[in-house]
Structures are given as C-alpha cells and as structure tokens.
Amino acid sequence: MKRLLVTIVLIPMLSFSQGKEVLYYFKSKDSLVGVKNKAGKIIVPAQFKIFSFLKDGDPVEGETILFDGSKEGEKPEKNAWGYVYDKNGKFLYKPFLYDNGADYFSEGLRRLVKNGKVGFADRNGKTVIEAEHDFASPFNYGYAAFCDGCDWEKTNDEHKAIVGGKWGVMNTKGETVQSVAKQSGNEVEIDGKYYPNSFQYNEKEKNILQFFEEQKKKLSDLYYVNFYNKLSENEKNLFFEIVERPKENFPYYQVNTYNYRKKELDMLYRFKFLVSEDGKTFYAIEDYNEKKVPFESWLKEEIKNAEDFQKEHQDNPNKFRNK
C-alpha cells in the first residue's frame, strides 16, 4: 500500500497581469458567479456556485479565469473541482480536487482532470501533460509520482490514501523516468528510490541562483527560527532551483526553495522568488495570488519578524543572527 537575490529595485508591489485588460467576477441575483469586463460585457455567464469569500466586483487574478466551485446543473466529476477558462471565455479544463478546493500550482503546473484521469496544465491554461493517469502527485524538484490502476481507499476517514495500482515517476514533459542504482549525491529521493537531478542551467541562470546561494545562511536561519527542534547545519541546508522560465504572460524566472531532503519549503508562496527576464531584478512572492514585492523589502520584513519572534521566545533553539 502506498500513501501518499544583481540590482534590487524598490518599486511598488505589482501583479503578473499588469497592462492587460482587467476582468471582474460578478454575482447574479441568485448568487451564481460569472465574469465580465470593465465595460460590463459578460465574458463567462453567471453559472457557478462559489463557496469562498469571493465578492461581487473582485478582479480576476492570473492568466486564466478560475471558478473555484461547482457549476449549476452539472454533476461533479470524480477527482475534479472547479472550472478554468481563458480570458475570452473559452473553457479550458477542470482542476484536480485538492484540500477542499482547486489544486494549487506547483513548479508552474497544476493538476487537471479529464474523463477521470489526471494531467497537468501551465499558468496560461495550456495542457502540457495529457490526462492519462489515475492519480499524480504535485511536482516537486522536477518530478511527480503517478499511478495507474489505483484508487482512493474505501474508508469514511476525512483524509484518504491512494492505494493499489502500478506506480511510476514522471518529469515535467510527462515522460516516465527510471530510478538510478548508484548515488552521486545530486539525486532526488522519491519513496526510497533515487532519480537524476533534472535541473540544468546556462551561465545567466547560474548567476541568478548564485544570488540566492550568497544569501543561503541568512535565508535558512530566517526560515527555521521558529522550529522548536534543534536542527543541525546539514538539516538547515537549502537548495534553490529555477522551476519556471520567461514565457507568454510571465516575463520572469521563478526560483523555489527546498530543504535538505529536496522537498519544497512551502506549497503556496513562502520562500518563492521571481527574477526579471534580464536577470537583474529580484522579488519575493507575497501572497496566494502571487503578488510580488522587491526582495530587499521582503527580506527586511522577514528579519523584523524573526527578531520579534526571538524577543518573545528567547528559548528558541535555532537562533537568527543578522550578520
């Protein structure tokens, strides 16, 4: 059974969709949700039941339109939750159901469901890995585990596990990758097996990562300051990897941070960064909607929070020292 930082410019906080037409969610008289543009033209009719705190007039965030709920008159599909449309009102896909809502993006990809099978789409709504598997995990360090012939265990427990079937590991192209017998020290461990490091960089990208390497000790101390188990320096080691590169609607490199076991530090946004296409300006991702803030401003706030924490918890074993 298997269970599952170059020049730092101080500028105002910006969103990825700057300069593009802004769309807005609206609610009908019977509280169904749709989307229209600033002029009032309906892009997607009001036909969705949304159970979040979405308000009438909230702007659409990101490169696609997400309706994080059910569709009036339509039976829910197994493993699916919500609907994604492009900004012209064309339906694209149904996200995978995760944590009582639509799946999050992980390393630039979100799980989707089609005919009960799982695939992946990018932030522009393009299906990059076809829906062919019965289950797939989110991507971590360039890989995602998948299974065929598996299903959710038969239990009334709130948190169920995927059981049975044949398991494998895929890369971000959807290709099955075989484990390696010999360890060189650069591999990533997945369920007790080792896989080759999938990240490769040109000189420009190496320079981007060098910025974070030079900040590693400080960033590590900031992240682990509120951990109450004493950690060794090895256990506090961090890895930085570029998980997205500039493309349409996204003129940035995204850098994610991983712990010493090469597991992502935060599923949502903490300790994830953006770098301008020219490799000279650095940002931190600020919230779930991927607002970005200049790295220097983010770092000052993190340092303040760490110092405040230590004043209140003077017995914390993993000290932050601002050097």
Side-chain angles (χ1 to χ4, degrees), residues 36-66:
K36 59 185 177 182
N37 64 16
K38 189 175 182 179
K41 178 184 176 181
I42 293 178
I43 306 300
V44 181
Q47 54 190 320
F48 302 94
K49 295 180 180 179
I50 307 298
F51 304 103
S52 66
F53 295 105
L54 184 71
K55 299 188 295 294
D56 187 78
D58 279 353
V60 173
E61 303 282 357
E63 290 68 50
T64 57
I65 303 169
L66 169 64

Side-chain angles (χ1 to χ4, degrees), residues 70-311:
S70 59
K71 189 174 183 179
E72 179 77 353
E74 186 169 300
K75 183 179 179 181
E77 182 175 354
K78 180 181 178 180
N79 294 330
W81 179 262
Y83 299 79
V84 173
Y85 288 72
D86 70 17
K87 291 195 171 181
N88 293 314
K90 177 184 176 182
F91 171 73
L92 298 175
Y93 65 87
K94 298 177 183 178
F96 184 84
L97 170 63
Y98 180 77
D99 196 21
N100 296 318
D103 194 34
Y104 308 118
F105 280 98
S106 181
E107 300 190 355
L109 299 176
R110 169 195 272 155
R111 290 174 290 181
L112 62 87
V113 176
K114 184 177 182 180
N115 299 324
K117 301 292 186 178
V118 181
F120 290 84
D122 67 12
R123 66 174 61 250
N124 287 319
K126 178 183 177 181
T127 297
V128 296
I129 298 176
E130 294 294 334
E132 299 176 339
H133 302 292
D134 290 317
F135 176 80
S137 66
F139 273 92
N140 177 83
Y141 217 78
Y143 293 115
F146 68 87
C147 64
D148 297 311
C150 55
D151 203 350
W152 298 101
E153 62 181 342
K154 308 301 182 182
T155 176
N156 292 324
D157 292 346
E158 180 181 358
H159 301 289
K160 300 180 181 180
I162 290 288
V163 296
K166 182 178 180 181
W167 288 79
V169 170
M170 73 173 94
N171 60 22
T172 55
K173 296 179 181 179
E175 301 165 336
T176 300
V177 180
Q178 301 301 319
S179 61
V180 292
K182 186 177 181 180
Q183 299 179 41
S184 67
N186 292 322
E187 299 90 354
V188 56
E189 181 183 358
I190 304 173
D191 296 323
K193 296 182 179 180
Y194 292 87
Y195 296 84
N197 190 322
S198 65
F199 295 107
Q200 296 182 345
Y201 303 113
N202 58 33
E203 287 304 311
K204 178 181 177 180
E205 292 168 341
K206 290 177 182 178
N207 289 334
I208 289 173
L209 292 176
Q210 183 59 32
F211 173 83
F212 294 97
E213 287 293 326
E214 292 171 357
Q215 307 267 356
K216 178 188 287 190
K217 179 65 166 65
K218 180 175 289 186
L219 293 176
S220 174
D221 287 351
L222 286 170
Y223 182 78
Y224 289 110
V225 68
N226 61 355
F227 278 52
Y228 264 86
N229 293 325
K230 177 64 177 176
L231 302 175
S232 67
E233 288 304 309
N234 179 62
E235 290 173 319
K236 291 169 62 178
N237 189 31
L238 300 178
F239 293 92
F240 304 98
E241 305 292 354
I242 295 174
V243 299
E244 278 193 272
R245 291 174 168 85
K247 57 188 171 187
E248 182 183 4
N249 298 321
F250 187 73
Y252 305 100
Y253 295 91
Q254 179 167 322
V255 178
N256 284 9
T257 310
Y258 301 84
N259 66 17
Y260 78 106
R261 297 182 61 198
K262 298 181 178 177
K263 303 297 183 183
E264 200 171 49
L265 285 190
D266 188 273
M267 181 175 290
L268 295 178
Y269 59 86
R270 286 201 72 220
F271 283 75
K272 294 181 180 179
F273 308 98
L274 298 173
V275 183
S276 59
E277 193 165 0
D278 61 7
K280 295 181 179 180
T281 309
F282 293 74
Y283 308 92
I285 296 177
E286 179 76 358
D287 64 13
Y288 173 75
N289 288 322
E290 297 190 316
K291 291 291 192 302
K292 63 185 189 294
V293 63
F295 180 87
E296 185 174 280
S297 300
W298 171 85
L299 185 61
K300 287 180 180 178
E301 184 66 21
E302 287 288 328
I303 290 172
K304 180 181 182 301
N305 291 340
E307 291 174 339
D308 289 346
F309 177 84
Q310 289 188 152
K311 289 178 182 177

